[in-house]
Each structure stands twice: as C-alpha cells, then as structure tokens.
Amino acid sequence: MAHVWQSSPPSSPSQPSQRHTDTERILSFYDYTQGKDFLGRTLEDYLSWTNSQIEHNQSFFWKALFPIPERSNSCPLAPVVTEEVFDAFRAPTLQGDHLRYNLGRAVLRIVRYLGFKQHPERAEIYFVMTNNAGFGAQGWLNRYDHNHRHISRVLRSLRVLGDDGDAGALFLAVLQVFIALYPNETGHPAEGYIESEALVHWAHAARRPLHFGLNQPDHDAEDNCVQWIRCRV
C-alpha cells in the first residue's frame, strides 16, 4: 500500500488578531530567545533537548522551530509565517541578524539529530553523516518514517525564512543518503532504504516555487498558492 502523506493546504488569510499573534510569537521566540512558543517553551529549552526528547515530542519541536505559512491540521495552535515574519528574517537590520543567527542554531541542532555534521574541510555549508548516527538518524533511515515529513517542513521553513544556503545543504545531504541506500551494488535496495516518495516531497520543498504550499500537488499548486509570497518573490 502506498504511503499516504498528510497534506495541509495553504491557510486562508489570517484575521488581523490571529496574524498579529502569529507574528509576535515567532519573532519573540527567535529574536529574544526568551520568548515562549504556544506551549510555553523557549528556543533555549528546545535546543537543550536530547535526541530522545525530540523524537518523543516531535510534533511540537518541529512546528515551533520551523514555522511555515501553512496552518497545521494536527497542531492548529502552532503559529504560521506571516508577511511581517517573512520580511523580518530577510531584513538587513540588527533584529534580522539576530533572527538569522538563532535560526542557524536551530538548523545545527536538527542536523545533529538527523546524524549529520558540518564538513570540517569545506568553507561552504556542507553536511556529512557522522560515524555515530545517534537516536534520530537511526529512526529516519527507514522506508517510511515521520521524520521524512519533518525534513520537508524544515526545507520549506528555511527557504521561506530566507536561509537558502542551509536549505540547499540539507537537501543535498538527504539526497546523498537516499542515493547511498537505494540501490546498492546488487541493484536492489539496501536495508533501511528510503521510499522514493519521500525524495519527491523533499525535492518539492527544496525546489518548487516558494509560493507553492508544502504538500500541494502540482496540478493545483498554482491555484492554491500562498498569494502574499507570490507577490514578494
């Protein structure tokens, strides 16, 4: 049976009060590090979590650290990226610098969780698998795994927040893992190979036009796109 990916259509335009709340929550959470998310946790709380804590609280962790413009069906309280958030992360201001710095810290945490590290001999952003994969990586190197969806969310979030460098590096890293596992030298999938459907979703999150929703199929992505992003890119 084919694996069914949960699809969340782009949210309709937020009401002013909801939009203001989403903006303040995300900017406070990432700007001051003491701002709290919808569950009362700070960025520092999440960054201090072990891999096991991330794995067992995965719905909240990924949605708090990597917001996207689409409202989550499974966790509607999680804030979504608004026009103001989109602009703030790109702004050549002190606030923009601080937002981007803390986003980079979040990226490094999930990179470690997935079992990657920064390549020590390359100046550009380039992630490689560690010898000791750890709890998180052991979990996602499977045919189907919930972390595959989270990787798509991270790729989408990083691009929306203006971090194309980390998004491209992460996509290249997971692509290389996918290729290494499937097929192997016998022409058959290696043990623990990743289903090709996951790669399709990663490619969509990393390469499609930014105004296309995360899991929108190609045939209606243009009709159901995030209009305010379309006007900004």
Side-chain angles (χ1 to χ4, degrees), residues 22-23 26-27 80-89 161:
D22 288 339
T23 299
I26 294 174
L27 294 186
V80 300
V81 174
T82 63
E83 296 97 314
E84 293 81 5
V85 171
F86 184 93
D87 292 339
F89 271 82
L161 298 178

Side-chain angles (χ1 to χ4, degrees), residues 43-62:
L43 175 63
E44 300 303 324
D45 290 334
Y46 284 114
L47 295 182
S48 69
W49 277 10
T50 64
N51 284 352
S52 180
Q53 285 177 297
I54 294 173
E55 180 66 18
H56 291 100
N57 296 273
Q58 43 88 18
S59 290
F60 307 123
F61 177 87
W62 301 94

Side-chain angles (χ1 to χ4, degrees), residues 55 58 62 113 144-151:
E55 180 66 18
Q58 43 88 18
W62 301 94
Y113 169 78
Y144 299 122
D145 187 76
H146 59 266
N147 284 304
H148 298 168
R149 296 194 301 274
H150 299 323
I151 291 170

